[in-house]
Amino acid sequence: MKAKEWLNAMPSQFGTYDVDVISVEDYKGIVFSGMGGSGIVGDVLKLLLERRGTEVPVVSLHGYELPPYAKQDWLLVAVSYSGNTEETISTVQEAMQRRLNIICVSSGGKLEEIADKEGFRFVSVPPGYAPRYAFGFMLSAVMSLFGFGRSLEKIRKNLDENKEEIKETAYNIAQVLQNYIPIVYGTPLTEPIAFRWKTQINENSKTLCYTAVLPELHHNEVVGLDNPIARNLCHFIILHDPEDHPRVIKRVEITEKIFKELGLSPVVLRGKGESLEERLMYLAYLEDWVSFYLADIYGYDPLPVKIIDRIKESLK
Ligand code: PA5
């Protein structure tokens, strides 16, 4: 099965692209634009750039319109695996009107045509994958552009070394999630990966899944746990990182305790690895396998996303 082959080979997607590195401070701000399996790339880059102390604003956009403050001297990085996603193309067209600097990343499609015609910088990723299974390629391309090239080799090594353990853990988590709605809680450092868990479970396992983030969820979501009918439909996963704010880590512990008092057994996970990038990709790879095994349990082929295709067709 293709999905399994791709997942087994996923660590090798991580590697440095031979591209000129962008100097972020040359711009007044950076906008990443992308949807679904491509949009996650911008979410991760925003987090990494902010952790690196980047002083210009960084926005990760999943939609049609640029924010009003993105103007000339800003940079738009448009990521679409197919190169044909209309929301992403719309942001490129708007950026052209407002004279932003533009870089396009895709495996071809309209985005490549526009980049060729307009003379924009274009970074090509290998074609032939389902977009969400090309995450490592797209992330490597964009991380390389922003000077995170060296981390990519470490990510690859870390995933390769831990692959069997990751698969085994994922298999066990998938068994636990069976017949429940997975709810994935993230933290400020794991938020993009919690969202990736949700979207991968939606697309690969063909089931509903929701996400919420600490500390915000301590001000609303937790009250929903009062309802036993609702909470017993769900199984909870909490993703956090040792570099999270100490009060966030304390909140993770409190959340776990509350769950246990309610008779629930959340799966609490931290990625393995020396750097934040390695740990986040560990958690992302784990989720790739969880969603794969959960699809298998439910008897689905993880690859087709018929309803997404139907919606894209209806919009043509
Ligand atoms: O993984 C998928 O198939 C989707 O989430 C797509 O990534 C999404 O529809 C956007 O398409 P693209 O990645 O080609 O821009």
Side-chain angles (χ1 to χ4, degrees):
M1 189 206 263
K2 242 192 209 167
K4 193 170 189 183
E5 255 172 58
W6 286 341
L7 282 190
N8 270 312
M10 176 67 88
S12 64
Q13 289 191 12
F14 290 91
T16 316
Y17 273 59
D18 189 13
V19 289
D20 289 338
V21 173
I22 291 163
S23 166
V24 175
E25 276 68 29
D26 287 350
Y27 301 98
K28 285 200 175 140
I30 315 282
V31 187
F32 293 99
S33 159
M35 305 300 298
S38 301
I40 174 81
V41 174
D43 298 343
V44 173
L45 257 293
K46 174 178 161 62
L47 175 72
L48 296 183
L49 286 168
E50 287 177 355
R51 288 296 287 178
R52 192 165 81 182
T54 301
E55 285 183 13
V56 301
V58 182
V59 179
S60 179
L61 190 70
H62 300 239
Y64 288 93
E65 291 175 309
L66 295 177
Y69 47 80
K71 295 187 180 147
Q72 216 174 351
D73 298 327
W74 276 60
L75 171 67
L76 173 77
V77 182
V79 186
S80 164
Y81 183 71
S82 61
N84 293 325
T85 297
E86 69 168 44
E87 296 93 323
T88 314
I89 291 170
S90 157
T91 60
V92 172
Q93 286 162 343
E94 209 180 338
M96 283 160 64
Q97 281 163 12
R98 294 198 211 168
R99 303 192 173 285
L100 273 77
N101 302 278
I102 299 173
I103 298 179
C104 300
V105 179
S106 83
S107 66
K110 288 191 194 136
L111 217 50
E112 181 170 17
E113 283 167 28
I114 296 173
D116 274 357
K117 182 161 172 259
E118 304 293 335
F120 300 146
R121 232 177 128 183
F122 177 74
V123 184
S124 157
V125 292
Y129 290 77
R132 60 196 178 282
Y133 286 84
F135 174 55
F137 290 129
M138 291 189 280
L139 191 67
S140 295
V142 181
M143 281 179 70
S144 301
L145 279 170
F146 284 88
F148 292 100
R150 277 203 305 199
S151 306
L152 291 161
E153 305 301 333
K154 290 187 188 157
I155 291 172
R156 182 216 307 257
K157 198 163 166 266
N158 191 44
L159 297 184
D160 263 333
E161 281 172 6
N162 290 296
K163 186 155 108 181
E164 290 318 310
E165 178 195 276
I166 286 174
K167 285 169 76 169
E168 197 186 320
T169 311
Y171 182 84
N172 294 331
I173 295 174
Q175 305 296 321
V176 167
L177 295 182
Q178 183 177 9
N179 299 332
Y180 289 100
I181 297 171
I183 307 283
V184 187
Y185 289 162
T187 58
L189 291 187
T190 58
E191 180 173 4
I193 305 304
F195 187 63
R196 168 88 175 167
W197 272 66
K198 170 200 156 32
T199 59
Q200 288 288 78
I201 289 175
N202 295 149
E203 292 185 60
N204 294 331
S205 323
K206 277 79 177 161
T207 191
L208 294 173
C209 177
Y210 297 94
T211 181
V213 183
L214 281 162
E216 178 64 20
L217 74 85
H218 272 183
H219 300 271
N220 32 63
E221 170 104 2
V222 278
V223 187
L225 291 169
D226 279 351
N227 185 328
I229 297 172
R231 71 176 183 246
N232 290 331
L233 291 173
C234 306
H235 206 97
F236 298 85
I237 295 156
I238 306 174
L239 310 178
H240 68 120
D241 188 86
E243 283 180 29
D244 267 312
H245 190 287
R247 299 297 288 166
V248 169
I249 293 175
K250 180 85 190 149
R251 284 177 184 273
V252 170
E253 288 161 12
I254 294 171
T255 312
E256 209 181 333
K257 193 163 169 268
I258 292 171
F259 275 121
K260 287 191 177 144
E261 283 166 13
L262 291 170
L264 303 167
S265 320
V267 179
V268 184
L269 298 165
R270 275 183 177 189
K272 269 195 184 170
E274 278 171 21
S275 63
L276 175 65
E277 294 92 302
E278 286 166 75
R279 292 191 296 275
L280 292 183
M281 290 313 115
Y282 180 103
L283 289 175
Y285 194 38
L286 177 66
E287 141 279 306
D288 285 343
W289 283 107
V290 169
S291 62
F292 172 83
Y293 288 127
L294 193 56
D296 193 46
I297 290 172
Y298 287 139
Y300 289 117
D301 178 348
L303 287 184
V305 282
K306 284 189 205 143
I307 195 148
I308 297 181
D309 299 337
R310 184 183 139 192
I311 293 167
K312 285 184 179 176
E313 199 52 42
S314 314
L315 281 159
K316 268 185 190 161

